[in-house]
Amino acid sequence: MPLTHFLGLVALVVLAAGLTIWLAVWTGVPLMALAFAALSASIILTWTRLSR
């Protein structure tokens, strides 16, 4: 993967994360709820990949 594509991908991921946090704060979702949802999704994805 060329360096420019890699850096563009990293920039898009950072932008998406920032947009997600901004929308959560703007709509009044507590950051702890957002953190819990992300942690839960991570655990569920890990369990489903390990069970294969």
Side-chain angles (χ1 to χ4, degrees), residues 12-25:
L12 284 176
V13 168
V14 169
L15 181 67
L19 181 64
T20 301
I21 292 172
W22 178 77
L23 282 174
V25 169

Side-chain angles (χ1 to χ4, degrees), residues 30-40:
L31 286 180
M32 287 304 294
L34 192 63
F36 180 74
L39 182 63
S40 299

Side-chain angles (χ1 to χ4, degrees), residues 40-52:
S40 299
S42 173
I43 290 171
I44 290 169
L45 285 174
T46 300
W47 283 345
T48 57
R49 294 191 83 195
L50 289 178
S51 65
R52 290 183 187 186

